Amino acid sequence: MDFIAKAVIIGLTEQAPLVLAAMGMALIYNLSKVINVAFAETITLGAYFAQWVNVFFGASFYLSLAVSGILAGALSCATYLVVFRTAERRGVGAVEVIIISLGLSVLLRYALQFVFGYEARFFETPPPTFLKLFDVGFTSFQLTAFILVVVLALLFYLFVQKTVWGRQVRALASDADLAKVSGINPLLTTLVMWFMAGAAGGLAGAFWGVASSAKPGLGWDRFLLTLLVVLVGGTRGLRGVILAGMGTGVLLSALKLEIAPLRAEIVLLVAFILVLKLRGNRFRELAKV
Amino acid sequence: MSAVWDFLFGSPAFLIFGTYTLMMIVGLGILLHLQLGVTGIGNFGVAGFWGAGLYSFGILQVHYDVGFWLALLAATAAGGVLGVVTGWVIADLDDDGVLAATLAVASIVFLAIESERGITGGRVGLGTIDFPFDVGERTDLAWLAILFGVTGVLLWYARRVHRSPYGRLLIATGTNEPLARSLRKPAKRTKVGVMALTSAGMGALGGLYGPIVHFLFPTQLTVAITVSVITALVLGGQQRPLGAFVGALLTVGLFDIVIKLYVPLPRDLLEHAFPVTKQVIFGALLIFVLLFRPLGFLGRMRRETHVKGLTRV
Amino acid sequence: MSEGNGQGTEGGAAAPGRAVIRIRGLTKSFGDQTVVHVDDLVLGAQPVEGLIGPNGAGKTTLMRLIMRSTRADTGSVTLDDGASEVALSKLAPHRIASLGVVKTNQVTQDFAGLTIWDSLLLAVAQRRDERPHRIYRERHLVERYGEEIQSYLDVFEFSEPGGFAHSTGEKKLLDLIRCLLLNPKILLLDEPTAGLPEDVTAQVIELLRAKVAAGMSVIIVEHDLDVIWGFSDVVHFMAEGDVILEGDPDYIRAHSTVVEKYLGSGHV
Amino acid sequence: MFEASGVRCGYEDIDVIKGLDFSVGEEVFAILGANGAGKTTLLSAIAGLLPLSAGRIRFGGETISGLPPWRIAAMGLGFVPQERGVFGDLTVLDNLRVGGLVARQARGDRIDEIMELFPALAGLRNQRAGTLSGGETKMVAAGRALMQDAKLLLMDEPTAGLSPLYVENFFDRIRQIHETKQVAIIITEQNATKALEVADRAMVLSLGEATTITDAKNLTTDQLRKGYQI
């Protein structure tokens, strides 16, 4: 019981941003059918944007969050318009689009160092108080961050599920042709969606960043896990992504309580690969021959 | 005349090391060409297969005093086994699944090396590894000649594959797997086979890299090497055996040899701005090439003339 | 279940030497919609068999179930050559093709990277030709099969036989030739002449007739019913996922059930 | 209100529709033909999903060929595709609301109207459309198109694969929609008898060409059999 409680608390507080990031990436994946490697950089830049607003303007962390979300969303839209839309219109193949997004990821990861410098950048936040639950220590800041992530994830979920725009996004993802003949303008809807996805990624980055620092590899280091959560949970919609994200966090912290952290990550990756392998078999019906 | 010689080979150690790297990228690029350009398997974990070979070789040489040939064989086998497992996993995954699985394989190799310090040395490193022979001052040049030879053999093989029924099977499997299956072709086995073969090659190249660096660190296996290989191949032309060679000259050759050694850049610039700029250019090249010239510098696979010629046999 | 047989057809027994496909209890549903529900059906007993029926009757799905490019929910498909019976419904698609059951495609399929000659050499190449170490095998392949391939290319006019297939029509013909090069025992044709000009359609049918005379069986789905009426020995009429009527073309053409299923009961 | 002249269209380089001229007024217009005749292709082209290789389509006095599908939809043309007529991931209510994006005023009233037209849907409001039965799916698909406040409704084989009892009922609804809502309807059908019961005029399509265009009641069995090649 104690073990489970520990695993859950550590897993959720440490990996809460993962859920937010995965929701953003899943939205792009479901609608544009694109695995966007450069989403890693949306996450990274989210951290940098928030850090910049926080330190340069002396704004509170919460205000920097809002600005960071908007900037990351705008960046996401820009990458869609400049790169992915062009690829779509030129009929570039699926593997090639992945490589293009890899190129974009590398480009952004290094270009941002020209702007923000080569060194890691730290946030200026008031010193936190330390709390304890079930023998697990965490800071008051981690707690607020966790609550904020939960609220944001919920808002994000409600936006997609309950609003007019969310409905258009889902309709377009469900069947693009039918959406078009129903009067949905695909470009506008797609842009709204890339903005939301970017904002989610940026906010996740800001939360990760404030927990350590904003550095160029921040998003890339977490990309693989985010991708696996999206691929495994994404087949069941946003709810699946949320569950897979939380499950991953808890599983990882449970493993880390038992075995060395690096080995825990290996076990987690192997588990994901096996799930992918088993899931792959179910998609063979799509063959057209 | 001797001024030219001095200019070119004034710092032979750097030039030789740069050329080693170049040859590695070309070799891995040719193998990736068989995976990506021919069979359509987007392998984003090149560093993992190569690293598995490198570390198998290193561990056997350092800890168990295994001879060069046996260690090289083990490196090849390590790449091959990893290739079989990866091939089995990705055989019926779509491109997104292949991306995730290959990235995960590379990540697992990296994590395993970092975590199993007892045999890999972890971040402290593993060494030293020496050349299997010693011909005095020119040993490194001799090793370079061997690398040239190996790369040449890989290139020759890739070109022959293009002209053989096997290559056709790979292209068919890559471009339309269900159709290939309907024509009696065992698509799954073909994919596992090509992954085994090419990954074994990557493992072998990893083994050959051991003596070059003498000391192994996990940081040698980051995604940077995968990105370099992909960039070189895509830029040169992913569908052509020579693509990786041309692309590597234009990227690694230009940046890591020509500019680094022969352009007098301030030290500060060379340390920070230069590598960053290089990566920015690599990323931009990947995007532009795939958007506007998807088949790279060399263009489309040459099939027409070759088959026409054959019909007259 | 067959409502009745027309003149001169026997449902079950295979003509000597002619392999047949036996289908038992085969069902396939998408969601709550049962697309195929065939209790007992033998295909290929006659040299040329047509498969027709109104929209959504399940013709294409039935063919894809036989080739296992789609999985059945229940039931079995076997290949019976008189001496032994092999369960196709347990084999991988490439094994089915190896046994001589081959299908052309309704939606045009091609290998983007392969020229016409490439594509045809691919079709004839055997497993042993395609091993990774056989990198000098090409010459053998061309010597062994070159003339056969050329003979097909002599029948149909391709704008650039040494290059890539350009139009949909060329790709469609290429698809057919690839299948014929596998020397199938039973060839399933899914709308082989859709989109082809009339003279080419005639060439296709003529070539198929020659192949049939040499022992190949043909099962054909075609929307141009004039092709069906003129080419088939037996016609299977499918509706609502099952073959409900079998008989020779004239019998089917005049049958009230067929008219009703196509036009509705008011026009029988 | 609707006019097609010299229409040719198809996939890649093959024209499935090989030159069609016809016009539709305030009526129910049936397009009949066997499979492969090109009925689905034609409707997709009218809805703007498929470019014409030749010819022109006018609707409500404006040329719509060449316009993107969402613009055509906004002009009051509703399309009910044969397959995949609903958003499977969305609930029934959300499907209807998506249809209501075009004409937002009085959307709630129209949802009520549709629930009256298809009472079976009332209890299924919050069910995912992908889990519905074939007949219910068709109702949702038609309802979604009606939510667009369409002046012309294209229905592609709305009863294919459905049980006879349901077919009867659905054709009644089609007539009802036409009469109460003053919607012109183009309906494709293979089963001529049923379609001719509700249609004012009919066109028989055979391998991409019109063999007959006439008043529904004048269409003879011979004309049909010729078009269907039986």
Side-chain angles (χ1 to χ4, degrees):
Chain A
M1 188 57 219
D2 220 29
F3 173 77
I4 297 175
K6 257 186 176 172
V8 169
I9 293 171
I10 299 175
L12 290 185
T13 47
E14 280 186 359
Q15 301 295 341
L18 177 68
V19 174
L20 208 51
M23 283 170 88
M25 195 199 274
L27 208 54
I28 295 180
Y29 182 50
N30 284 348
L31 180 55
S32 295
K33 315 289 179 236
V34 170
I35 282 296
N36 180 8
V37 180
F39 192 74
E41 271 47 53
T42 312
I43 295 172
T44 311
L45 279 161
Y48 273 99
F49 289 147
Q51 192 273 349
W52 174 60
V53 176
N54 173 236
V55 173
F56 192 79
F57 297 100
S60 76
F61 176 67
Y62 306 102
L63 179 63
S64 6
L65 263 189
V67 178
S68 160
I70 292 170
L71 289 178
L75 174 84
S76 174
C77 285
T79 60
Y80 173 71
L81 285 175
V82 176
V83 178
F84 294 100
R85 187 149 186 262
T86 316
E88 215 172 87
R89 301 180 112 181
R90 297 184 69 92
V92 177
V95 192
E96 278 76 13
V97 173
I98 294 177
I99 301 178
I100 287 175
S101 73
L102 176 71
L104 183 62
S105 164
V106 173
L107 171 80
L108 290 173
R109 192 183 322 155
Y110 288 92
L112 72 84
Q113 299 180 34
F114 287 132
V115 182
F116 294 104
Y118 308 115
E119 311 294 330
R121 296 172 70 107
F122 294 88
F123 285 72
E124 283 171 11
T125 46
T129 42
F130 291 88
L131 305 168
K132 217 166 191 188
L133 185 67
F134 288 103
D135 266 354
V136 188
F138 48 89
T139 65
S140 60
F141 193 77
Q142 271 183 320
L143 184 67
T144 25
F146 170 67
I147 294 170
L148 257 180
V149 169
V150 171
V151 171
L152 283 171
L154 198 71
L155 282 178
F156 192 77
Y157 180 78
L158 287 176
F159 170 83
V160 173
Q161 294 296 327
K162 298 290 175 199
T163 64
V164 172
W165 282 106
R167 204 147 47 224
Q168 292 198 40
V169 167
R170 280 185 293 133
L172 196 62
S174 177
D175 189 330
D177 275 352
L178 189 61
K180 286 182 205 163
V181 301
S182 306
I184 291 174
N185 181 333
L187 177 60
L188 214 57
T189 310
T190 306
L191 279 176
V192 168
M193 194 275 319
W194 277 73
F195 181 86
M196 290 304 294
L203 290 171
F207 282 113
W208 269 318
V210 75
S212 54
S213 64
K215 47 182 177 286
L218 182 135
W220 174 255
D221 289 345
R222 290 157 177 89
F223 172 74
L224 179 59
L225 212 54
T226 316
L227 170 65
L228 289 168
V229 167
V230 169
L231 288 186
V232 169
T235 45
R236 297 182 183 279
L238 274 190
R239 236 173 295 180
V241 172
I242 295 173
L243 283 178
M246 296 200 306
T248 305
V250 173
L251 182 63
L252 188 60
S253 66
L255 284 168
K256 280 182 178 173
L257 287 174
E258 288 295 302
I259 53 177
L262 289 174
R263 286 189 189 159
E265 285 184 43
I266 294 177
V267 172
L268 187 71
L269 289 181
V270 170
F272 265 120
I273 289 183
L274 289 177
V275 173
L276 272 187
K277 170 74 188 167
L278 295 177
R279 188 208 70 155
N281 289 331
R282 273 189 275 142
F283 283 80
R284 232 182 283 149
E285 290 275 320
L286 299 172
K288 289 187 195 74
V289 169
Chain B
M1 193 62 208
S2 78
V4 174
W5 177 267
D6 279 353
F7 178 69
L8 279 178
F9 301 107
S11 50
F14 285 114
L15 180 62
I16 289 172
F17 191 81
T19 318
Y20 282 148
T21 314
L22 183 75
M23 282 300 115
M24 271 300 139
I25 301 292
V26 174
L28 291 173
I30 293 168
L31 293 166
L32 182 66
H33 154 71
L34 289 176
Q35 297 175 347
L36 173 67
V38 179
T39 324
I41 299 173
N43 182 355
F44 294 84
V46 173
F49 299 95
W50 182 73
L54 176 60
Y55 263 83
S56 306
F57 181 87
I59 290 165
L60 288 178
Q61 288 241 302
V62 173
H63 290 310
Y64 302 98
D65 268 340
V66 172
F68 170 78
W69 288 108
L70 204 57
L72 185 62
L73 191 69
T76 314
V81 169
L82 205 54
V84 171
V85 174
T86 313
W88 171 75
V89 170
I90 64 167
D92 39 32
L93 293 185
D94 53 12
D95 295 318
D96 314 321
V98 175
L99 164 75
T102 51
L103 273 179
V105 166
S107 200
I108 289 171
V109 170
F110 184 82
L111 288 168
I113 291 167
E114 282 218 321
S115 86
E116 306 311 309
R117 280 177 228 114
I119 47 170
T120 63
R123 289 186 187 174
V124 178
L126 178 74
T128 55
I129 300 162
D130 272 320
F131 291 112
F133 54 82
D134 189 351
V135 291
E137 245 181 81
R138 286 282 158 259
T139 304
D140 48 0
L141 262 188
W143 193 250
L144 189 59
I146 290 173
L147 269 194
F148 265 110
V150 170
T151 315
V153 169
L154 285 177
L155 185 62
W156 165 81
Y157 179 73
R159 289 175 68 104
R160 282 314 315 175
V161 164
H162 275 257
R163 285 156 173 72
S164 71
Y166 180 57
R168 203 175 279 128
L169 172 71
L170 296 183
I171 298 168
T173 309
T175 47
N176 194 338
E177 189 181 322
L179 184 59
R181 274 199 307 233
S182 80
L183 294 171
R184 300 183 304 206
K185 311 300 176 191
K188 242 188 190 178
R189 200 177 323 165
T190 306
K191 281 189 184 174
V192 175
V194 77
M195 277 306 284
L197 193 72
T198 48
S199 304
M202 289 177 178
L205 284 175
L208 292 175
Y209 196 66
I212 294 171
V213 284
H214 304 305
F215 228 81
L216 311 186
F217 296 103
T219 46
Q220 288 157 345
L221 311 181
T222 57
V223 71
I225 188 131
T226 307
V227 171
S228 300
V229 174
I230 291 178
T231 310
L233 179 63
V234 166
L235 181 63
Q238 51 162 314
Q239 294 195 348
R240 301 285 289 271
L242 265 176
F245 183 71
V246 173
L249 282 184
L250 291 175
T251 53
V252 178
L254 187 64
F255 284 90
D256 291 286
I257 298 179
V258 176
I259 295 182
K260 229 178 181 172
L261 298 186
Y262 302 112
V263 179
L265 291 174
R267 194 184 166 77
D268 179 51
L269 205 65
L270 209 57
E271 252 169 35
H272 283 303
F274 175 73
V276 169
T277 312
K278 185 179 92 173
Q279 296 291 341
V280 169
I281 292 174
F282 280 12
L285 278 176
L286 271 183
I287 300 172
F288 278 103
V289 167
L290 284 175
L291 282 182
F292 302 110
R293 193 175 160 79
L295 299 176
F297 194 82
L298 293 177
R300 188 168 190 152
M301 202 180 277
R302 287 172 59 192
R303 300 218 56 90
E304 233 169 294
T305 46
H306 140 62
V307 175
K308 257 187 200 161
L310 261 172
T311 62
R312 292 193 208 104
V313 168
Chain C
M1 267 292 152
S2 296
E3 189 180 281
N5 288 333
Q7 306 91 312
T9 68
E10 62 271 50
R18 213 171 264 287
V20 297
I21 295 171
R22 250 175 234 288
I23 299 167
R24 296 187 189 94
L26 194 68
T27 62
K28 175 74 185 177
S29 307
F30 295 112
D32 71 326
Q33 211 162 343
T34 302
V35 182
V36 166
H37 186 278
V38 177
D39 281 331
D40 193 9
L41 177 67
V42 174
L43 292 174
Q46 297 297 316
V48 180
E49 303 194 349
L51 189 59
I52 64 167
N55 275 354
K59 306 177 294 285
T60 293
T61 309
L62 177 62
M63 283 197 157
R64 295 188 53 200
L65 286 173
I66 295 173
M67 302 308 298
R68 284 202 94 209
S69 49
T70 199
R71 295 289 158 94
D73 298 335
T74 63
S76 74
V77 178
T78 59
L79 178 68
D80 184 355
D81 62 2
S84 64
E85 209 170 332
V86 191
L88 297 183
S89 43
K90 288 200 174 78
L91 298 179
H94 70 270
R95 295 270 300 122
I96 296 176
S98 304
L99 287 171
V101 180
V102 173
K103 181 173 93 63
T104 67
N105 298 293
Q106 177 191 20
V107 180
T108 322
Q109 298 277 334
D110 196 20
F111 299 108
L114 296 183
T115 62
I116 293 173
W117 263 93
D118 264 334
S119 201
L120 299 177
L121 284 168
L122 174 82
V124 292
Q126 307 290 319
R127 177 82 51 84
R128 62 176 176 280
D129 302 319
E130 292 175 331
R131 304 243 160 89
H133 61 277
R134 301 230 152 156
I135 47 179
Y136 284 102
R137 192 71 173 168
E138 191 74 346
R139 185 170 294 268
H140 163 83
L141 210 61
V142 174
E143 278 168 6
R144 169 91 174 66
Y145 300 102
E147 275 179 34
E148 190 183 350
I149 291 173
Q150 189 58 51
S151 71
Y152 284 107
L153 294 180
D154 290 340
V155 175
F156 299 108
E157 211 167 294
F158 286 91
S159 60
E160 198 189 345
F164 293 89
H166 292 297
S167 64
T168 313
E170 288 196 351
K171 286 176 186 168
K172 196 129 195 160
L173 288 176
L174 194 57
D175 193 41
L176 176 71
I177 301 174
R178 269 195 306 255
C179 288
L180 289 175
L181 281 170
L182 300 182
N183 280 322
K185 288 182 198 148
I186 301 179
L187 178 63
L188 309 176
L189 298 165
D190 197 354
E191 297 184 35
T193 69
L196 295 182
E198 262 174 54
D199 52 330
V200 181
T201 299
Q203 280 176 318
V204 168
I205 300 295
E206 191 185 337
L207 177 65
L208 288 172
R209 275 190 208 282
K211 287 281 164 190
V212 167
M216 185 180 79
S217 303
V218 166
I219 295 156
I220 177 172
V221 168
E222 179 56 62
H223 285 161
D224 188 346
L225 290 184
D226 286 337
V227 170
I228 295 281
W229 305 137
F231 184 36
S232 321
D233 299 306
V234 172
V235 177
H236 303 271
F237 181 76
M238 261 187 108
E240 286 132 35
D242 195 4
V243 170
I244 56 171
L245 208 62
E246 296 168 323
D248 60 34
D250 290 336
Y251 171 77
I252 295 291
R253 206 172 177 177
H255 201 286
S256 59
T257 309
V258 175
V259 178
E260 188 192 317
K261 290 289 177 193
Y262 268 111
L263 303 183
S265 52
H267 289 88
V268 176
Chain D
M1 70 179 302
F2 176 91
E3 198 183 338
S5 46
V7 168
R8 296 179 73 90
C9 59
Y11 303 91
E12 289 180 56
D13 48 353
I14 291 181
D15 277 343
V16 177
I17 296 296
K18 299 160 186 161
L20 273 186
D21 298 279
F22 68 99
S23 59
V24 180
E26 307 281 339
E27 60 183 337
V28 178
F29 185 83
I31 300 174
L32 308 171
N35 25 1
K39 303 187 294 289
T40 298
T41 309
L42 176 61
L43 290 201
S44 301
I46 295 174
L49 289 174
L50 205 65
L52 301 188
S53 53
R56 196 158 79 130
I57 298 174
R58 291 171 64 80
F59 169 57
E62 284 178 62
T63 302
I64 58 165
S65 37
L67 289 183
W70 54 93
R71 294 272 308 280
I72 298 176
M75 291 168 68
L77 190 140
F79 178 36
V80 187
Q82 180 185 356
E83 278 161 6
R84 307 196 313 169
V86 298
F87 300 105
D89 299 334
L90 274 58
T91 63
V92 169
L93 207 53
D94 275 351
N95 264 279
L96 297 182
R97 283 176 179 153
V98 167
L101 287 169
V102 169
R104 293 192 186 195
Q105 66 283 7
R107 201 167 58 184
D109 294 347
R110 264 179 290 139
I111 289 185
D112 292 342
E113 273 176 41
I114 284 160
M115 292 298 178
E116 263 171 50
L117 193 64
F118 302 113
L121 294 184
L124 304 168
R125 282 164 187 263
N126 295 315
Q127 198 167 327
R128 271 186 57 234
T131 64
L132 298 176
S133 76
E136 290 157 356
T137 306
K138 300 281 183 183
M139 293 185 222
V140 176
R144 197 216 74 245
L146 282 172
M147 284 296 293
Q148 288 171 228
D149 211 8
K151 296 191 270 294
L152 173 65
L153 206 54
L154 309 178
M155 303 183 104
D156 193 8
E157 303 224 15
T159 63
L162 300 180
S163 68
L165 193 70
Y166 175 84
V167 173
E168 198 69 46
N169 186 289
F170 202 89
F171 276 103
D172 289 347
R173 292 287 166 274
I174 288 175
R175 197 71 217 174
Q176 189 183 343
I177 292 167
H178 170 64
E179 275 156 17
T180 61
K181 301 186 69 105
Q182 277 91 47
V183 183
I185 295 175
I186 297 180
I187 181 174
T188 69
E189 256 298 333
Q190 180 174 267
N191 187 316
T193 308
K194 279 281 157 250
L196 290 172
E197 278 173 20
V198 295
D200 299 304
R201 286 193 308 140
M203 166 165 81
V204 181
L205 211 55
S206 180
L207 299 174
E209 285 166 278
T211 58
T212 318
I213 301 179
T214 175
D215 276 359
K217 54 183 184 297
N218 296 340
L219 194 65
T220 64
T221 301
D222 272 352
Q223 283 172 322
L224 279 173
R225 290 187 73 137
K226 186 162 165 285
Y228 283 66
Q229 298 171 295
I230 36 177

